[in-house]
Amino acid sequence: MGKPVTTGRRAGLDRDDMVCAALALIEHEGPAALTMRRLAAALDVTTTTIYWHVGSRDELITEVIRHQSERQAGRPITGTTARERVMCAARHVWDNALDNRAITSLAHQTGTTSLLEHPLEVALGRELESAGLTGEPAARALRAILSTVGGLLVLALRNESTVPEEHRAPALWAATHGELAPATIAALTRPGDYEDLFTSTVQAVIDAHVPGPRD
Amino acid sequence: MGKPVTTGRRAGLDRDDMVCAALALIEHEGPAALTMRRLAAALDVTTTTIYWHVGSRDELITEVIRHQSERQAGRPITGTTARERVMCAARHVWDNALDNRAITSLAHQTGTTSLLEHPLEVALGRELESAGLTGEPAARALRAILSTVGGLLVLALRNESTVPEEHRAPALWAATHGELAPATIAALTRPGDYEDLFTSTVQAVIDAHVPGPRD
DNA sequence: GCGGGCACTTGAACACTGTCAAAGTTCGCC
DNA sequence: GGCGAACTTTGACAGTGTTCAAGTGCCCGC
């Protein structure tokens, strides 16, 4: 009947639909694509409608992060020794971040990483307690491990394509003559293996906090 | 004489003035204050003039970072053992970042951290070579130490005031009942001491890569 | 049946961002 | 004196988050 595209109760969308659409948008087109107008277009709605449901962009992002946070709980912890199980919990944080790069980046740049990873952090905390740590030592170990993983994630999730090639690490090292041995420069010019770096570095931090089976 | 505020060669500013003014603006009012219009106002000039001199905002930022990079070189390395000297070089990265939070944050969010810290990274590399590491092992040690420091900096430089109190880590831990021991929760609710965390965590990573005096 | 009020939606704006084309002015040099 | 290069400005464009006033549809009580 050629309904005039009018206003009023037609969309039938609620807050959850907004959050899910935002999540999909981020996953498919990256964090920068999360624009109120783009999200509105994806939902076939006006930006004002989104504001009515979610309040603001920050609230929307927080909700997206919280939603994702619930989805990434519950991977099983394996391993027999305490160190192995702690390592496994740490690797869950790492793996989940790499499996959901876009949302993790978004959480990182909005300062809501704690919110996103909290369930995984709790799991890590449990393993630390099983290993015999409580109170302050457990908190210190937890923070040390999480910040180490976080630092590695900054490297692994960095979107190289946004920064010109001549300012990226390999090019900088290639331009560094005379200060370091050629073999070292060569090694630094090659791209690093983040997986190896993760394993050895996190293991070192864990070993410094969690007593081994013979202690 | 009521000179008409005309156009033409009047400002007498060059590219370097733009960069310095941008640096000052960032240091005094934070990275978010670096806006082309604000910078133009600070220089008593139009945005187009800035574009004529520096090309684009990204180029301006790159130049600011490079400029700052040169300023933060040259702190002396102290210590007698190899591990002490490596630790000192790592601490230089840490201290410089904390002393220049605004610029470091900016570099971090534009992916130019490598550019900013490259001189300090070279110094760290030198100490690693003095400790007997070369080639791939040196590169691995360097990357491990830098990513660890980077992860700690993410924590230490995070601007807490931008994210609502109930989504910050202490509040999240305070809301976590039943999963962890009360003493652990209490320790996690208290704000952490980043200085301690830096020392112990970085030391652990260094010890894993750099042989001690008795080896 | 119908009218009031709530729930939702829209259109149009505001202030802000980076960026650019065109036009203007001033300067050094021939 | 005039020409061309080196700047500088005006004024716009497209995009961002956000809000206000005005709609429209629907349910509920009368």
Side-chain angles (χ1 to χ4, degrees):
Chain A
M1 306 266 282
K3 267 190 194 167
V5 178
T6 68
T7 145
R9 173 173 309 173
R10 262 191 352 101
L13 304 170
D14 63 355
R15 191 181 167 99
D16 244 36
D17 296 319
M18 313 271 147
V19 173
C20 290
L23 189 55
L25 190 58
I26 295 166
E27 276 175 340
H28 292 136
E29 311 194 41
L34 180 57
T35 282
M36 300 311 264
R37 283 167 175 72
R38 286 190 74 157
L39 179 59
L43 287 165
D44 197 26
V45 134
T46 312
T47 57
T48 325
T49 299
I50 302 178
Y51 279 94
W52 196 91
H53 283 289
V54 296
S56 75
R57 183 171 187 264
D58 282 348
E59 278 182 62
L60 174 63
I61 290 179
T62 299
E63 214 61 34
V64 167
I65 302 291
R66 201 202 309 279
H67 190 255
Q68 176 67 16
S69 166
E70 289 164 13
R71 292 206 327 197
Q72 38 180 58
R75 296 201 192 188
I77 305 279
T78 65
T80 54
T81 71
R83 284 181 173 175
E84 280 171 4
R85 297 177 63 84
V86 170
M87 182 50 142
C88 179
R91 176 158 266 134
H92 283 350
V93 177
W94 172 256
D95 287 342
N96 263 303
L98 293 183
D99 287 348
N100 308 283
R101 305 172 80 98
I103 290 104
T104 306
S105 297
L106 184 63
H108 184 227
Q109 71 197 185
T110 53
T112 49
T113 315
S114 324
L115 186 58
L116 176 62
E117 292 174 351
H118 192 253
L120 300 173
E121 295 179 3
V122 172
L124 179 57
R126 265 201 303 264
E127 293 309 318
L128 288 170
E129 290 198 333
S130 299
L133 301 179
T134 343
E136 197 60 44
R140 290 171 58 85
L142 187 67
R143 288 183 177 130
I145 294 168
L146 287 177
S147 82
T148 306
V149 175
L152 289 157
L153 283 176
V154 170
L155 289 188
L157 296 180
R158 185 158 46 197
N159 188 357
E160 296 285 4
S161 59
T162 62
V163 45
E165 201 270 336
E166 72 263 28
H167 296 137
R168 304 213 276 267
L172 291 174
W173 287 114
T176 309
H177 303 298
E179 308 243 33
L180 265 46
T184 308
I185 296 284
L188 287 166
T189 307
R190 288 191 290 275
D193 181 337
Y194 296 132
E195 203 59 45
D196 274 8
L197 199 56
F198 170 86
T199 307
S200 60
T201 308
V202 175
Q203 191 67 61
V205 174
I206 291 176
D207 291 354
H209 284 91
V210 180
R214 316 200 139 231
D215 301 339
Chain B
M1 311 267 278
K3 266 193 195 165
V5 179
T6 66
T7 145
R9 174 174 308 174
R10 259 186 357 95
L13 304 170
D14 62 355
R15 190 181 167 100
D16 243 35
D17 296 319
M18 314 271 148
V19 174
C20 289
L23 189 56
L25 189 58
I26 295 165
E27 276 176 341
H28 292 134
E29 312 195 41
L34 180 57
T35 283
M36 301 310 266
R37 282 166 176 74
R38 286 190 74 155
L39 178 60
L43 287 165
D44 197 27
V45 136
T46 313
T47 57
T48 327
T49 299
I50 302 178
Y51 279 95
W52 196 91
H53 284 289
V54 295
S56 75
R57 184 172 188 265
D58 282 347
E59 278 182 63
L60 174 62
I61 290 178
T62 299
E63 214 60 32
V64 168
I65 301 290
R66 201 202 310 278
H67 190 254
Q68 175 66 17
S69 167
E70 289 165 13
R71 293 205 328 194
Q72 42 182 50
R75 297 201 192 190
I77 305 278
T78 65
T80 53
T81 72
R83 283 181 174 175
E84 281 171 3
R85 296 177 63 82
V86 170
M87 181 50 141
C88 180
R91 174 158 268 131
H92 283 350
V93 177
W94 173 255
D95 287 343
N96 263 305
L98 292 183
D99 287 348
N100 307 285
R101 306 172 78 99
I103 290 104
T104 306
S105 296
L106 184 63
H108 183 226
Q109 70 197 187
T110 52
T112 49
T113 314
S114 324
L115 186 59
L116 176 63
E117 292 173 352
H118 193 253
L120 300 173
E121 295 178 4
V122 172
L124 179 56
R126 266 200 304 264
E127 293 310 320
L128 288 170
E129 290 197 334
S130 298
L133 302 179
T134 341
E136 197 59 45
R140 290 171 56 85
L142 187 69
R143 288 181 176 133
I145 294 168
L146 287 176
S147 83
T148 306
V149 175
L152 288 158
L153 283 175
V154 171
L155 289 188
L157 296 179
R158 182 156 50 195
N159 187 357
E160 295 285 6
S161 60
T162 61
V163 43
E165 200 270 336
E166 72 262 28
H167 296 137
R168 305 212 275 266
L172 291 173
W173 286 115
T176 309
H177 303 298
E179 308 242 32
L180 264 48
T184 307
I185 297 284
L188 287 166
T189 308
R190 288 191 291 274
D193 180 338
Y194 297 131
E195 203 58 45
D196 276 9
L197 199 56
F198 171 85
T199 309
S200 59
T201 308
V202 175
Q203 192 66 62
V205 174
I206 291 176
D207 291 354
H209 285 90
V210 180
R214 320 198 134 229
D215 303 338

